[in-house]
Amino acid sequence: MPENVILKFAETPTIERGGSVATTPLVIPPVRPNAAFTTGISSFPVDRSAPLHKHNCDEQVTLLSGRAEAEIDGETTELSAYDTTYVTAGIDHCFRNIGDEPMVILWIYGSNKVTRTFVGSDEEVQHLSDADMLVR
């Protein structure tokens, strides 16, 4: 595999995550198995959000478009385009679309082995697996 990779967004498959939430994985283990991070873009329709959850690694999320609110460790903050969050591993959080257009986020995890645990469950699921549906 070449050292450097250029990913064309229009040519990258999108994953349906439930409730019309769509994720386009970018730098993920199948693309770069030894990458130090994992990235992608997710789009949430109006009135959709990811359930409250936590990860096994740190996460950065940047709001690319739309209006959102971030709930991080029990505190809720409204976000505008390009506002960026940093969430430490093990902290409960979620992002909600509070606007009248899709909310699009860029996410970056500080690991290439990412898991998610939904609040109210002790089950840790592999990120982007069939068990990792965002609409429950």
Side-chain angles (χ1 to χ4, degrees):
M1 172 175 285
E3 281 296 310
N4 302 300
V5 176
I6 294 176
L7 301 167
K8 296 286 192 170
F9 188 81
E11 298 169 8
T12 304
T14 296
I15 299 169
E16 171 62 36
R17 309 286 300 282
S20 297
V21 175
T23 292
T24 304
L26 298 172
V27 177
I28 58 174
V31 175
R32 293 296 304 156
N34 297 320
F37 54 86
T38 302
T39 68
I41 294 175
S42 294
S43 177
F44 293 77
V46 174
D47 294 328
R48 291 285 185 208
S49 69
L52 204 56
H53 63 279
K54 61 186 172 187
H55 299 286
N56 64 316
C57 57
D58 292 356
E59 176 185 26
Q60 180 216 307
V61 171
T62 299
L63 179 64
L64 299 179
S65 63
R67 287 184 52 234
E69 69 179 16
E71 181 180 336
I72 302 171
D73 202 19
E75 186 175 324
T76 301
T77 304
E78 189 167 329
L79 305 176
S80 299
Y82 305 112
D83 288 349
T84 299
T85 65
Y86 184 92
V87 182
T88 305
I91 298 298
D92 293 339
H93 64 282
C94 70
F95 297 87
R96 299 181 189 98
N97 185 344
I98 60 169
D100 55 6
E101 63 184 66
M103 170 185 80
V104 180
I105 60 173
L106 166 70
W107 41 264
I108 303 170
Y109 296 106
S111 176
N112 66 358
K113 292 177 178 62
V114 182
T115 64
R116 182 187 319 267
T117 304
F118 295 101
V119 169
S121 170
D122 292 331
E123 181 185 6
E124 185 176 37
V125 299
Q126 225 24 64
H127 181 246
L128 299 180
S129 68
D130 289 343
D132 188 29
M133 296 299 286
L134 292 182
V135 175
R136 298 179 155 259

